[in-house]
Amino acid sequence: MPRKRPAAVERLDDARHEEITSGLVDRGFVVVPGFLPREVVTALRGEGARRRAAGEFHAATIGRAGNAQRDASVRGDSICWLGARAVTTPERALVAHLDALCVALNRALFLGIAEFEAHYACYAPGAAYARHVDRFRDHDARVVSLVLYLNDDWRDADGGALRIYATRGAHAPACELAPRGGTLVAMRSEAIEHEVLPANAERWSIAGWLRRRPRPERVAGW
Ligand code: OGA
Ligand code: MN
């Protein structure tokens, strides 16, 4: 039986879920500092480092399934899918938070989210990810994109900002976000273009996508 969470924790979660819901509806993206407690973020970073040392990371690809390609000039991070291997205690804590977020988003916005996928990402100094949207052209399952940053003591001089564009093709970014540990960003997967600028330090995160069952005949949008 899951233990009942203290009322204060539940109220905080409810407030965060409302903030994320209204941010997605009003702007298409939202930034939530302190989404997870610092000790969970530090533990997740430790898990990521341990998995990388164990050889569980590989170079990220672009495109989907049969079309996946490596091109470090477009995308230079290396990744490790969560759930591909035994999930550890801090990873379970994250999964519990994401489950609760899926329930709240479905309740408020009827998004039909059925599952999520997530991976650790580590950008070596100089690595970047060119401007893109997260939903694949040929597959509309991804509804909401999440990035949780795992960097303690990130300084602005370290670079590595996430640039978010409010509309497709917009010239100027709407937001330039430093990847500080504990900050979560949520974006509509089909609508929000974004890019990762190169950093001077190793840049760690977990990226996740809340997915509905794919329906190829469906017209994109929500
Ligand atoms: C991604 C992505 C953004 C970031 O993995 O698709 O856009 O800030 N990540 O790491
Ligand atoms: Mn992305």
Side-chain angles (χ1 to χ4, degrees):
M1 273 292 277
R3 281 226 316 270
K4 180 130 178 56
R5 290 172 311 152
V9 172
E10 260 175 23
R11 274 199 301 277
L12 185 62
D13 277 359
D14 286 350
R16 287 225 175 92
H17 293 159
E18 271 172 42
E19 187 187 344
I20 293 170
T21 303
S22 52
L24 289 172
V25 170
D26 296 345
R27 287 220 291 172
F29 70 92
V30 58
V31 175
V32 187
F35 179 73
L36 289 185
R38 198 181 166 96
E39 57 283 6
V40 179
V41 173
T42 304
L44 284 169
R45 166 68 178 267
E47 287 300 307
R50 186 185 58 74
R51 289 188 182 282
R52 197 170 57 147
E56 295 179 9
F57 277 58
H58 60 270
T61 53
I62 46 177
R64 196 175 71 84
N67 282 324
Q69 289 162 24
R70 275 184 196 167
D71 184 346
S73 69
V74 176
R75 176 171 189 190
D77 54 333
S78 60
I79 65 168
C80 170
W81 286 98
L82 251 168
R85 297 180 179 79
V87 174
T88 59
T89 304
E91 292 168 350
R92 269 199 298 276
L94 172 66
V95 167
H97 274 90
L98 297 186
D99 276 338
L101 178 59
C102 291
V103 170
L105 287 174
N106 279 342
R107 199 174 283 157
L109 301 176
F110 307 103
L111 294 185
I113 295 161
E115 59 197 10
F116 61 82
E117 55 186 351
H119 64 57
Y120 289 97
C122 177
Y123 290 75
Y129 195 160
R131 183 165 171 169
H132 66 281
V133 292
D134 283 352
R135 184 180 287 176
F136 298 111
R137 247 169 266 147
D138 59 345
H139 199 258
D140 71 354
R142 289 176 168 182
V143 180
V144 175
S145 301
L146 303 172
V147 188
L148 172 71
Y149 296 109
L150 304 181
N151 307 296
D152 283 335
D153 304 323
W154 193 262
R155 300 162 308 154
D156 288 342
D158 292 329
L162 173 67
R163 267 194 188 147
I164 302 175
Y165 298 87
T167 52
R168 290 237 189 182
H171 185 63
C175 169
E176 222 174 85
L177 178 70
R180 288 187 211 293
T183 296
L184 177 86
V185 48
M187 301 176 272
R188 287 173 52 172
S189 300
E190 88 289 8
I192 298 295
E193 292 181 333
H194 53 282
E195 71 182 300
V196 177
L197 302 184
N200 303 318
E202 237 177 39
R203 179 188 189 277
W204 282 83
S205 60
I206 292 177
W209 297 274
L210 312 185
R211 295 163 48 121
R212 63 187 175 203
R213 305 240 176 268
R215 278 190 253 164
E217 75 284 5
R218 185 186 189 117
V219 178
W222 61 355

